[in-house]
Amino acid sequence: MDKWSEIRAKLVDAQEGLYKIDDEYRKSKNDLDTKWEFLGDFYRGLDQKFDEKHSIILSEYSKMPDATEEMLDAAVETIRRYQWVNEEEFKTRQRELERKYDDLEDSYKKKYRKQESVVEQLSSELKACQTDEK
């Protein structure tokens, strides 16, 4: 195999490497997007559940003849505490996903730039080789 063909083969492999990096990035990003959507759905579902529980408690306490305002306040406060804990958990998971997005983006850019420089170098070598042959 002559030098031009050898460089050309390496260039094709390097370009395929760029496509592979893009594909891996897209797949990873799609996975994170799916997790983000699930997290959002989960949070919306939790909010709805807490609203339902709050309504149920208010309804049940209104039916109890011996219910006191303190009992109702304690029950509502318990719901609020659970809601706060779940919101904190949601925020923690949200921050983790945001970090994963950032890490993925950084990793992708580094890999892509590195592979792109290989492609550029091989392209230059190929042009130089073509010039030498003329």
Short mmCIF file of all heavy atoms in Angstrom, two decimals, residues 4-40:
data_model
loop_
_atom_site.label_atom_id
_atom_site.label_comp_id
_atom_site.label_asym_id
_atom_site.label_seq_id
_atom_site.Cartn_x
_atom_site.Cartn_y
_atom_site.Cartn_z
N TRP A 4 -0.03 7.40 0.21
CA TRP A 4 -1.29 8.11 0.06
C TRP A 4 -2.45 7.23 0.53
O TRP A 4 -3.33 7.69 1.28
CB TRP A 4 -1.49 8.54 -1.41
CG TRP A 4 -2.73 9.36 -1.61
CD1 TRP A 4 -2.83 10.70 -1.50
CD2 TRP A 4 -4.04 8.87 -1.92
NE1 TRP A 4 -4.12 11.11 -1.74
CE2 TRP A 4 -4.89 9.98 -1.99
CE3 TRP A 4 -4.59 7.62 -2.15
CZ2 TRP A 4 -6.25 9.89 -2.28
CZ3 TRP A 4 -5.94 7.52 -2.44
CH2 TRP A 4 -6.75 8.64 -2.50
N SER A 5 -2.48 5.98 0.11
CA SER A 5 -3.56 5.05 0.49
C SER A 5 -3.55 4.79 1.99
O SER A 5 -4.61 4.68 2.62
CB SER A 5 -3.42 3.72 -0.26
OG SER A 5 -3.54 3.93 -1.64
N GLU A 6 -2.36 4.69 2.54
CA GLU A 6 -2.23 4.45 3.98
C GLU A 6 -2.80 5.64 4.78
O GLU A 6 -3.57 5.43 5.72
CB GLU A 6 -0.76 4.24 4.31
CG GLU A 6 -0.49 3.85 5.74
CD GLU A 6 0.99 3.63 5.99
OE1 GLU A 6 1.66 2.99 5.16
OE2 GLU A 6 1.47 4.11 7.04
N ILE A 7 -2.42 6.84 4.39
CA ILE A 7 -2.93 8.04 5.08
C ILE A 7 -4.43 8.15 4.87
O ILE A 7 -5.17 8.48 5.80
CB ILE A 7 -2.20 9.30 4.57
CG1 ILE A 7 -0.72 9.24 4.95
CG2 ILE A 7 -2.84 10.56 5.14
CD1 ILE A 7 0.12 10.34 4.32
N ARG A 8 -4.88 7.87 3.67
CA ARG A 8 -6.33 7.94 3.36
C ARG A 8 -7.11 6.97 4.24
O ARG A 8 -8.17 7.32 4.77
CB ARG A 8 -6.55 7.64 1.87
CG ARG A 8 -7.99 7.63 1.45
CD ARG A 8 -8.52 9.05 1.34
NE ARG A 8 -9.91 8.98 0.96
CZ ARG A 8 -10.89 9.61 1.57
NH1 ARG A 8 -10.63 10.40 2.57
NH2 ARG A 8 -12.12 9.48 1.18
N ALA A 9 -6.61 5.77 4.43
CA ALA A 9 -7.28 4.78 5.27
C ALA A 9 -7.34 5.25 6.72
O ALA A 9 -8.37 5.12 7.39
CB ALA A 9 -6.56 3.43 5.18
N LYS A 10 -6.24 5.83 7.19
CA LYS A 10 -6.22 6.37 8.55
C LYS A 10 -7.21 7.52 8.70
O LYS A 10 -7.88 7.65 9.73
CB LYS A 10 -4.81 6.84 8.93
CG LYS A 10 -3.83 5.72 9.18
CD LYS A 10 -2.47 6.29 9.53
CE LYS A 10 -1.43 5.21 9.73
NZ LYS A 10 -0.11 5.78 10.05
N LEU A 11 -7.30 8.35 7.67
CA LEU A 11 -8.23 9.49 7.69
C LEU A 11 -9.68 9.00 7.76
O LEU A 11 -10.48 9.53 8.53
CB LEU A 11 -8.01 10.38 6.46
CG LEU A 11 -8.93 11.59 6.33
CD1 LEU A 11 -8.77 12.53 7.54
CD2 LEU A 11 -8.63 12.35 5.04
N VAL A 12 -9.99 7.99 6.99
CA VAL A 12 -11.35 7.43 7.01
C VAL A 12 -11.66 6.88 8.40
O VAL A 12 -12.75 7.11 8.95
CB VAL A 12 -11.51 6.34 5.92
CG1 VAL A 12 -12.79 5.55 6.11
CG2 VAL A 12 -11.46 6.96 4.54
N ASP A 13 -10.70 6.16 8.98
CA ASP A 13 -10.89 5.63 10.34
C ASP A 13 -11.08 6.76 11.35
O ASP A 13 -11.93 6.67 12.25
CB ASP A 13 -9.68 4.77 10.77
CG ASP A 13 -9.63 3.44 10.03
OD1 ASP A 13 -10.64 3.05 9.43
OD2 ASP A 13 -8.55 2.81 10.06
N ALA A 14 -10.31 7.82 11.21
CA ALA A 14 -10.42 8.96 12.13
C ALA A 14 -11.77 9.64 12.00
O ALA A 14 -12.38 10.04 13.00
CB ALA A 14 -9.28 9.95 11.88
N GLN A 15 -12.27 9.77 10.77
CA GLN A 15 -13.59 10.37 10.56
C GLN A 15 -14.69 9.48 11.13
O GLN A 15 -15.66 9.98 11.71
CB GLN A 15 -13.82 10.64 9.07
CG GLN A 15 -12.98 11.79 8.57
CD GLN A 15 -13.01 11.94 7.05
OE1 GLN A 15 -13.14 10.96 6.33
NE2 GLN A 15 -12.86 13.17 6.59
N GLU A 16 -14.53 8.19 10.99
CA GLU A 16 -15.49 7.26 11.60
C GLU A 16 -15.45 7.40 13.12
O GLU A 16 -16.48 7.26 13.78
CB GLU A 16 -15.20 5.83 11.16
CG GLU A 16 -15.59 5.55 9.74
CD GLU A 16 -15.22 4.14 9.27
OE1 GLU A 16 -14.78 3.32 10.09
OE2 GLU A 16 -15.39 3.88 8.07
N GLY A 17 -14.27 7.67 13.66
CA GLY A 17 -14.15 7.92 15.09
C GLY A 17 -14.97 9.11 15.53
O GLY A 17 -15.59 9.11 16.60
N LEU A 18 -15.01 10.17 14.70
CA LEU A 18 -15.84 11.34 15.00
C LEU A 18 -17.32 10.96 15.03
O LEU A 18 -18.06 11.38 15.92
CB LEU A 18 -15.63 12.44 13.95
CG LEU A 18 -14.36 13.26 14.05
CD1 LEU A 18 -14.25 14.22 12.88
CD2 LEU A 18 -14.31 14.02 15.36
N TYR A 19 -17.74 10.15 14.07
CA TYR A 19 -19.15 9.72 14.03
C TYR A 19 -19.49 8.88 15.26
O TYR A 19 -20.57 9.00 15.84
CB TYR A 19 -19.45 8.92 12.76
CG TYR A 19 -19.24 9.70 11.49
CD1 TYR A 19 -18.59 9.13 10.41
CD2 TYR A 19 -19.68 11.01 11.35
CE1 TYR A 19 -18.38 9.84 9.23
CE2 TYR A 19 -19.49 11.73 10.18
CZ TYR A 19 -18.84 11.13 9.12
OH TYR A 19 -18.64 11.84 7.97
N LYS A 20 -18.53 8.03 15.65
CA LYS A 20 -18.74 7.18 16.83
C LYS A 20 -18.88 8.04 18.09
O LYS A 20 -19.74 7.80 18.93
CB LYS A 20 -17.59 6.19 16.98
CG LYS A 20 -17.75 5.22 18.12
CD LYS A 20 -16.58 4.26 18.21
CE LYS A 20 -16.72 3.39 19.42
NZ LYS A 20 -15.55 2.55 19.65
N ILE A 21 -18.04 9.06 18.21
CA ILE A 21 -18.11 9.96 19.37
C ILE A 21 -19.47 10.66 19.39
O ILE A 21 -20.11 10.76 20.44
CB ILE A 21 -16.95 10.98 19.33
CG1 ILE A 21 -15.62 10.28 19.60
CG2 ILE A 21 -17.19 12.11 20.33
CD1 ILE A 21 -14.40 11.12 19.32
N ASP A 22 -19.93 11.12 18.22
CA ASP A 22 -21.25 11.76 18.14
C ASP A 22 -22.37 10.80 18.55
O ASP A 22 -23.28 11.17 19.28
CB ASP A 22 -21.53 12.26 16.72
CG ASP A 22 -20.93 13.62 16.44
OD1 ASP A 22 -20.67 14.38 17.41
OD2 ASP A 22 -20.74 13.95 15.25
N ASP A 23 -22.29 9.56 18.05
CA ASP A 23 -23.33 8.57 18.38
C ASP A 23 -23.36 8.28 19.88
O ASP A 23 -24.44 8.21 20.48
CB ASP A 23 -23.10 7.27 17.61
CG ASP A 23 -23.46 7.39 16.14
OD1 ASP A 23 -24.18 8.35 15.77
OD2 ASP A 23 -23.04 6.51 15.35
N GLU A 24 -22.18 8.07 20.46
CA GLU A 24 -22.11 7.80 21.90
C GLU A 24 -22.68 8.97 22.70
O GLU A 24 -23.40 8.78 23.67
CB GLU A 24 -20.66 7.53 22.32
CG GLU A 24 -20.12 6.20 21.84
CD GLU A 24 -18.63 6.04 22.11
OE1 GLU A 24 -17.99 6.97 22.66
OE2 GLU A 24 -18.09 4.97 21.76
N TYR A 25 -22.35 10.18 22.28
CA TYR A 25 -22.85 11.37 22.96
C TYR A 25 -24.38 11.42 22.88
O TYR A 25 -25.06 11.66 23.87
CB TYR A 25 -22.24 12.63 22.33
CG TYR A 25 -22.87 13.91 22.81
CD1 TYR A 25 -22.61 14.41 24.08
CD2 TYR A 25 -23.75 14.62 22.00
CE1 TYR A 25 -23.19 15.58 24.53
CE2 TYR A 25 -24.33 15.79 22.44
CZ TYR A 25 -24.05 16.26 23.70
OH TYR A 25 -24.64 17.42 24.14
N ARG A 26 -24.91 11.22 21.68
CA ARG A 26 -26.37 11.27 21.51
C ARG A 26 -27.08 10.22 22.36
O ARG A 26 -28.09 10.50 22.99
CB ARG A 26 -26.74 11.10 20.03
CG ARG A 26 -26.80 12.41 19.28
CD ARG A 26 -27.53 12.28 17.95
NE ARG A 26 -26.90 11.42 16.97
CZ ARG A 26 -25.80 11.73 16.29
NH1 ARG A 26 -25.21 12.86 16.50
NH2 ARG A 26 -25.30 10.90 15.41
N LYS A 27 -26.52 9.01 22.38
CA LYS A 27 -27.13 7.94 23.18
C LYS A 27 -27.10 8.30 24.67
O LYS A 27 -28.10 8.15 25.37
CB LYS A 27 -26.42 6.61 22.95
CG LYS A 27 -26.71 5.99 21.61
CD LYS A 27 -25.90 4.73 21.39
CE LYS A 27 -26.07 4.21 19.98
NZ LYS A 27 -25.20 3.07 19.70
N SER A 28 -25.97 8.77 25.13
CA SER A 28 -25.84 9.14 26.54
C SER A 28 -26.76 10.31 26.88
O SER A 28 -27.41 10.33 27.92
CB SER A 28 -24.40 9.52 26.88
OG SER A 28 -23.56 8.41 26.72
N LYS A 29 -26.84 11.27 25.98
CA LYS A 29 -27.71 12.43 26.21
C LYS A 29 -29.18 12.00 26.22
O LYS A 29 -29.95 12.47 27.05
CB LYS A 29 -27.48 13.52 25.16
CG LYS A 29 -28.25 14.79 25.48
CD LYS A 29 -27.81 15.94 24.64
CE LYS A 29 -28.51 17.22 24.96
NZ LYS A 29 -29.91 17.16 25.25
N ASN A 30 -29.54 11.11 25.33
CA ASN A 30 -30.92 10.61 25.31
C ASN A 30 -31.25 9.89 26.61
O ASN A 30 -32.36 10.03 27.14
CB ASN A 30 -31.16 9.69 24.12
CG ASN A 30 -31.26 10.44 22.81
OD1 ASN A 30 -31.49 11.65 22.78
ND2 ASN A 30 -31.05 9.73 21.71
N ASP A 31 -30.30 9.12 27.14
CA ASP A 31 -30.51 8.44 28.43
C ASP A 31 -30.73 9.46 29.54
O ASP A 31 -31.64 9.30 30.36
CB ASP A 31 -29.31 7.55 28.79
CG ASP A 31 -29.21 6.31 27.91
OD1 ASP A 31 -30.20 5.97 27.23
OD2 ASP A 31 -28.13 5.68 27.92
N LEU A 32 -29.90 10.51 29.56
CA LEU A 32 -30.06 11.55 30.58
C LEU A 32 -31.38 12.30 30.39
O LEU A 32 -32.05 12.63 31.37
CB LEU A 32 -28.88 12.53 30.54
CG LEU A 32 -27.56 12.00 31.08
CD1 LEU A 32 -26.46 13.04 30.89
CD2 LEU A 32 -27.66 11.60 32.53
N ASP A 33 -31.75 12.56 29.14
CA ASP A 33 -33.03 13.23 28.88
C ASP A 33 -34.20 12.41 29.40
O ASP A 33 -35.14 12.95 29.99
CB ASP A 33 -33.22 13.49 27.38
CG ASP A 33 -32.31 14.58 26.84
OD1 ASP A 33 -31.73 15.35 27.65
OD2 ASP A 33 -32.16 14.66 25.60
N THR A 34 -34.12 11.10 29.21
CA THR A 34 -35.17 10.20 29.70
C THR A 34 -35.24 10.25 31.22
O THR A 34 -36.33 10.35 31.81
CB THR A 34 -34.93 8.76 29.21
OG1 THR A 34 -34.91 8.75 27.79
CG2 THR A 34 -35.98 7.81 29.73
N LYS A 35 -34.08 10.20 31.87
CA LYS A 35 -34.05 10.28 33.33
C LYS A 35 -34.59 11.62 33.81
O LYS A 35 -35.31 11.69 34.82
CB LYS A 35 -32.62 10.09 33.85
CG LYS A 35 -32.12 8.67 33.70
CD LYS A 35 -30.69 8.52 34.14
CE LYS A 35 -30.21 7.09 33.93
NZ LYS A 35 -28.81 6.92 34.32
N TRP A 36 -34.28 12.69 33.09
CA TRP A 36 -34.77 14.03 33.45
C TRP A 36 -36.31 14.07 33.37
O TRP A 36 -36.98 14.62 34.23
CB TRP A 36 -34.16 15.07 32.51
CG TRP A 36 -34.47 16.47 32.89
CD1 TRP A 36 -35.50 17.23 32.43
CD2 TRP A 36 -33.77 17.29 33.83
NE1 TRP A 36 -35.48 18.47 33.01
CE2 TRP A 36 -34.42 18.53 33.87
CE3 TRP A 36 -32.65 17.09 34.62
CZ2 TRP A 36 -33.99 19.57 34.69
CZ3 TRP A 36 -32.23 18.12 35.44
CH2 TRP A 36 -32.89 19.35 35.47
N GLU A 37 -36.85 13.48 32.30
CA GLU A 37 -38.30 13.45 32.14
C GLU A 37 -38.95 12.63 33.25
O GLU A 37 -39.98 13.03 33.80
CB GLU A 37 -38.67 12.87 30.77
CG GLU A 37 -38.34 13.80 29.62
CD GLU A 37 -38.54 13.17 28.27
OE1 GLU A 37 -39.31 12.19 28.15
OE2 GLU A 37 -37.93 13.65 27.30
N PHE A 38 -38.36 11.47 33.57
CA PHE A 38 -38.91 10.65 34.65
C PHE A 38 -38.87 11.39 35.98
O PHE A 38 -39.82 11.33 36.76
CB PHE A 38 -38.14 9.33 34.79
CG PHE A 38 -38.49 8.30 33.75
CD1 PHE A 38 -37.52 7.43 33.29
CD2 PHE A 38 -39.76 8.19 33.23
CE1 PHE A 38 -37.82 6.47 32.34
CE2 PHE A 38 -40.08 7.24 32.28
CZ PHE A 38 -39.10 6.38 31.82
N LEU A 39 -37.79 12.09 36.22
CA LEU A 39 -37.67 12.85 37.46
C LEU A 39 -38.75 13.93 37.53
O LEU A 39 -39.39 14.12 38.57
CB LEU A 39 -36.27 13.47 37.57
CG LEU A 39 -35.96 14.22 38.86
CD1 LEU A 39 -36.05 13.28 40.07
CD2 LEU A 39 -34.59 14.87 38.80
N GLY A 40 -38.96 14.62 36.43
CA GLY A 40 -40.01 15.64 36.38
C GLY A 40 -41.39 15.05 36.60
O GLY A 40 -42.22 15.59 37.35
#
